[in-house]
Amino acid sequence: MRVSSSTHGVVPATLEMSQPASQGGEPVNVSDDGGGDYESLPPHVSVTTHMTAGAVAGVLEHTVMYPVDSVKTRMQSLQPDPNAQYRGVYEALKRIIRTEGFFRPLRGLNITVMGAGPAHALYFACYERVKRSLSDTIQNGGNSHLANGIAGSVATVLHDAIMNPAEVVKQRMQMYKSPYRGLWDCVRTVTRTEGAGAFYRSYSTQLTMNVPFQAVHFITYETMQEWLNPHRHYHPGSHIASGAAAGAISAAITTPLDVCKTLLNTQENVALSSVNGHLSGMANAFRAVYRLGGPGAFFKGVQARVIYQMPSTAIAWSVYEFFKYFLTKRDPRLLKGEGTFEEVEKK
């Protein structure tokens, strides 16, 4: 889905200012030897490049659409307060702002930013390295859907190890009538009353959700890139469209697991009343969701989740690809394999 009225005749854009586009409408090769488009980075490219691009992309992904994420958390409540029952995302945002204050949908954003930077830095760096290694083995350097899926799944394990505690704090602060005064009050209270293990109570469920989510996500993204951007030039429209489609499909498929994760993170009182102590474990969460809401409860908040993931994933990929392009193009010697960014800077 290139961003145009037709998928034919679209000229991929480049941000290389030193060279104009060719007369025939083909994108300009930016390396001195005329080869090596930006997507096909050599193995010498510094991990720092991927980590920096990933960190910026991750922070923007989570912050731009954060109010919708707050709505999603509330809409996944199994038996919400009568004052926190919403018909749709827009209506929910209007009511939250009107009754609880303009900044209420942003509550918990600080801990999200603190976790998203390092989590996404590791996430994208790991993905690129594992994908390259597996593609060399499976497909002799070509694009492999199996390599993309495995790389995305491995990267998710590292990402979630950092983001899971942040998700617990974030979702507890997003809930209606949250009892916590702020970030550190939430951290101290949870640690004191439930123990440090509470921050990883949903880790297995998060991985169970995010491994298939990211596998579908990366396979969809890379498949659409093959269709829309086969030469892998820097083309913002194709990155945005591919990212949005990947986010929407992955989000819809994994919503039932996300509902269970939200229940484990928030420890909603109505669910706790049916168990002894705190709710833990994916199987117990599934049973609680089904008992309290039936089959339909597994798709509570699916609209908000898709609305949140589509632009978020599009933003993440477009920002990541831009920064990867920008950081690499700062010195064309990187494309010739003359060392990492740090090494060529010293020459």
Side-chain angles (χ1 to χ4, degrees):
M1 291 182 294
R2 288 183 189 269
V3 183
S4 67
S5 58
S6 171
T7 57
H8 301 286
V10 180
V11 181
T14 70
L15 294 185
E16 185 66 26
M17 298 302 181
S18 60
Q19 300 182 46
S22 67
Q23 302 253 337
E26 291 298 317
V28 176
N29 288 321
V30 293
S31 61
D32 290 347
D33 60 0
D37 54 68
Y38 108 103
E39 189 79 35
S40 302
L41 298 177
H44 300 84
V45 171
S46 172
V47 173
T48 306
T49 297
H50 295 303
M51 295 187 76
T52 303
V56 174
V59 170
L60 287 176
E61 173 191 356
H62 285 280
T63 55
V64 172
M65 296 300 294
Y66 188 82
V68 178
D69 185 58
S70 294
V71 170
K72 184 215 67 163
T73 296
R74 292 194 180 193
M75 294 181 77
Q76 287 181 335
S77 176
L78 296 175
Q79 292 188 358
D81 185 285
N83 294 321
Q85 293 180 344
Y86 312 108
R87 294 189 300 273
V89 176
Y90 181 63
E91 186 264 341
L93 278 174
K94 283 199 305 181
R95 197 198 306 177
I96 291 171
I97 291 172
R98 186 178 67 250
T99 59
E100 301 175 49
F102 182 79
F103 293 104
R104 187 62 179 82
L106 298 179
R107 199 160 190 261
L109 179 61
N110 47 3
I111 186 63
T112 301
V113 171
M114 290 168 61
H120 280 72
L122 285 176
Y123 174 73
F124 278 107
C126 177
Y127 171 71
E128 293 284 359
R129 287 307 172 102
V130 174
K131 180 182 76 169
R132 184 180 296 279
S133 297
L134 290 178
S135 293
D136 288 342
T137 302
I138 298 172
Q139 200 100 351
N140 294 323
N143 183 46
S144 165
H145 297 315
L146 178 60
N148 298 334
I150 294 174
S153 300
V154 172
T156 298
V157 175
L158 292 177
H159 172 275
D160 286 358
I162 296 176
M163 279 302 292
N164 206 87
E167 282 283 318
V168 172
V169 175
K170 178 199 77 172
Q171 290 199 299
R172 292 195 180 208
M173 294 181 69
Q174 288 175 332
M175 293 295 286
Y176 181 69
K177 289 186 176 179
S178 172
Y180 308 105
R181 296 189 301 274
L183 190 163
W184 297 115
D185 177 54
C186 180
V187 172
R188 286 192 297 266
T189 303
V190 172
T191 303
R192 185 179 66 252
T193 59
E194 302 176 42
F199 295 105
Y200 283 94
R201 189 179 284 129
S202 65
Y203 185 53
S204 60
T205 302
Q206 181 113 334
L207 284 179
T208 303
M209 174 185 72
N210 280 346
V211 167
F213 177 96
Q214 297 300 349
V216 173
H217 168 198
F218 280 110
I219 290 172
T220 303
Y221 180 83
E222 297 288 355
T223 299
M224 291 198 65
Q225 282 294 287
E226 284 185 347
W227 178 40
L228 302 177
N229 190 17
H231 300 296
R232 299 303 176 107
H233 295 289
Y234 176 68
H235 185 268
S238 73
H239 300 314
I240 291 171
S242 299
I249 294 171
S250 303
I253 290 174
T254 57
T255 294
L257 290 165
D258 191 52
V259 172
C260 294
K261 183 206 74 173
T262 297
L263 177 59
L264 290 170
N265 280 347
T266 60
Q267 294 292 298
E268 192 177 353
N269 289 333
V270 68
L272 294 182
S273 63
S274 61
V275 298
N276 295 322
H278 299 291
L279 188 68
S280 62
M282 184 174 65
N284 289 330
F286 261 94
R287 282 193 290 268
V289 171
Y290 184 80
R291 185 168 60 250
L292 293 169
F298 288 103
F299 285 92
K300 288 177 75 76
V302 64
Q303 178 194 37
R305 180 166 161 79
V306 171
I307 290 174
Y308 167 75
Q309 284 293 344
M310 281 187 70
S312 294
T313 312
I315 290 168
W317 274 112
S318 58
V319 172
Y320 174 66
E321 300 287 7
F322 167 75
F323 270 88
K324 189 170 71 172
Y325 171 89
F326 173 76
L327 292 171
T328 302
K329 295 305 179 181
R330 287 181 63 180
D331 198 310
R333 288 171 292 178
L334 287 169
L335 289 176
K336 292 183 176 181
E338 296 182 12
T340 65
F341 175 76
E342 292 81 1
E343 290 168 344
V344 299
E345 282 286 287
K346 295 177 182 178
K347 295 181 180 179

